[in-house]
Amino acid sequence: MAPLVLYHWTQSFSSQKVRLAIAEKALKCEEHDVNLPLSEHNEPWFMRLNSSGEVPVLIHGENIICEATQIIDYLEATFVDEEVPRLMPEEGSMYYPRVQHYRELLDSLPMDAYTHGCILHPELTVDSMIPAYATSRIRSQISNTESELKKLAEENPDLQDAYIAKQKRLKSKLLDHDNIKYLKKILDELEKVLDQVETELQRRNEETPEDENPPWLCGDFFSLADVSLAVTLHRLKFLGLARRNWGNGKRPNLEAYYERVLKRKAFYKVLGHVNNILISAVLPTAFRVAKKRAPRVLGTTLLVSVLAGMGYLAFMCLRKRFANMILSIRTRQNYF
């Protein structure tokens, strides 16, 4: 059988869902990072692969699949050997409509709006892992991208329509994602979705004897609904929306679920080290410098990772030092 080849970006939410599904199914896959901060997804070679210029893209022989849900469905339909774990129950089983319902419900959440909205309006978050300077950086990055798309459209007549369409989508998204009323509305809708999930998890717990392993969202098996839920919770945690949605006694089943999923082998393999999910989006300069100056023998990806890691560690170190300084001042005030 032809090899699987995945073009993705490690920090892309949609890419993470596909990569988690591949890991859960234990499939061999050749992966290639399409560096979003360096706008590699806007380059002509990638736009010819996927005219929307979005990751992920899966290539399997002559088949090219360009959207996360379609990629995952393709994997389920194609790899049906008994040795390959199934993430979707058979049609007609009592579990099929349950998994399909929660998968569609979770996949309908506007995760890109949550992501950009929380960067542009950090006042909506608590304990966010996004650096404070990200707001101004992402605004300038979006502005630069619009200019870049216009230039690429002029340079590549065969892709002009695709570039213009992408430019229009970008403008439309920015208007919504920077609208505080819209953001509050979709955050309220998120709570309603998580209420449904909390209720479903409670049902699973009531159905499961105490001496058995805790269940997952739709039963005692890890399904595509769990893929969507696990990656969603991980992104919400990073954005600073965890305390608002679980913890401190609020939705205890959801909190326990997330703690379990963090320890799952496939999840740890794909997302265990991705605790700086958006550092790439707010440090585009570092990535551009790496691309221009990185020695070929080392590879751009290695140097980019080092730069991003150094930036993240520096941020965390400064934040910790500032917290210690505040604590020291308060201690002295209490003493006197």
Side-chain angles (χ1 to χ4, degrees), residues 16 42 57 66 132 136 140 147 152 188 194 221 249 257 262 281-282 297 309 322 330 334:
Q16 289 169 359
N42 293 330
V57 174
C66 298
S136 59
S140 62
S147 301
L152 285 167
D188 288 341
L194 295 181
F221 55 94
Y257 176 97
L262 288 174
V282 297
V297 66
F322 179 74
R330 288 177 177 173
N334 291 337

Side-chain angles (χ1 to χ4, degrees), residues 253-270:
N253 294 308
L254 196 64
E255 181 179 15
Y257 176 97
Y258 181 57
E259 292 301 320
R260 285 181 62 215
V261 100
L262 288 174
K263 300 173 184 176
R264 192 168 175 86
K265 184 177 179 181
F267 184 90
Y268 185 80
K269 177 184 176 182
V270 174

Side-chain angles (χ1 to χ4, degrees), residues 100-169:
Q100 190 65 13
H101 167 74
Y102 280 102
R103 182 191 179 197
E104 291 176 354
L105 182 67
L106 291 160
D107 287 350
S108 70
L109 293 172
M111 195 55 61
D112 57 344
Y114 299 142
T115 300
H116 296 145
C118 288
I119 296 175
L120 295 168
H121 294 280
E123 68 273 14
L124 296 173
T125 69
V126 179
D127 296 333
S128 172
M129 297 174 69
I130 302 170
Y133 54 80
T135 301
S136 59
R137 287 293 182 88
I138 198 170
R139 288 186 192 279
S140 62
Q141 185 181 1
I142 290 172
S143 177
N144 293 337
T145 301
E146 286 189 54
S147 301
E148 180 184 352
L149 290 172
K150 184 177 180 180
K151 182 181 178 182
L152 285 167
E154 294 171 354
E155 295 174 348
N156 300 275
D158 60 318
L159 295 170
Q160 189 174 52
D161 291 344
Y163 280 122
I164 291 173
K166 186 168 186 179
Q167 188 179 23
K168 289 180 179 178
R169 289 197 304 271

Side-chain angles (χ1 to χ4, degrees), residues 18-165:
V18 170
R19 294 180 66 232
L20 180 56
I22 289 172
E24 287 287 348
K25 294 180 75 64
L27 297 174
K28 292 183 179 180
C29 182
E30 179 184 328
E31 297 186 350
H32 298 278
D33 259 333
V34 178
N35 198 310
L36 269 58
L38 291 179
S39 296
E40 288 182 353
H41 59 313
N42 293 330
E43 293 182 3
W45 71 268
F46 187 76
M47 292 290 287
R48 291 189 177 95
L49 195 62
N50 178 14
S51 60
S52 69
E54 303 288 346
V55 291
V57 174
L58 181 74
I59 299 178
H60 186 218
E62 297 182 355
N63 298 313
I64 300 176
I65 308 98
C66 298
E67 194 273 331
T69 300
Q70 293 181 14
I71 291 173
I72 293 171
D73 286 343
Y74 176 84
L75 295 173
E76 278 292 296
T78 303
F79 296 92
V80 293
D81 296 344
E82 292 184 2
E83 298 178 356
V84 179
R86 298 283 299 176
L87 299 177
M88 193 70 192
E90 294 288 340
E91 285 192 53
S93 74
M94 61 176 286
Y95 295 107
Y96 181 86
R98 186 187 297 172
V99 172
Q100 190 65 13
H101 167 74
Y102 280 102
R103 182 191 179 197
E104 291 176 354
L105 182 67
L106 291 160
D107 287 350
S108 70
L109 293 172
M111 195 55 61
D112 57 344
Y114 299 142
T115 300
H116 296 145
C118 288
I119 296 175
L120 295 168
H121 294 280
E123 68 273 14
L124 296 173
T125 69
V126 179
D127 296 333
S128 172
M129 297 174 69
I130 302 170
Y133 54 80
T135 301
S136 59
R137 287 293 182 88
I138 198 170
R139 288 186 192 279
S140 62
Q141 185 181 1
I142 290 172
S143 177
N144 293 337
T145 301
E146 286 189 54
S147 301
E148 180 184 352
L149 290 172
K150 184 177 180 180
K151 182 181 178 182
L152 285 167
E154 294 171 354
E155 295 174 348
N156 300 275
D158 60 318
L159 295 170
Q160 189 174 52
D161 291 344
Y163 280 122
I164 291 173

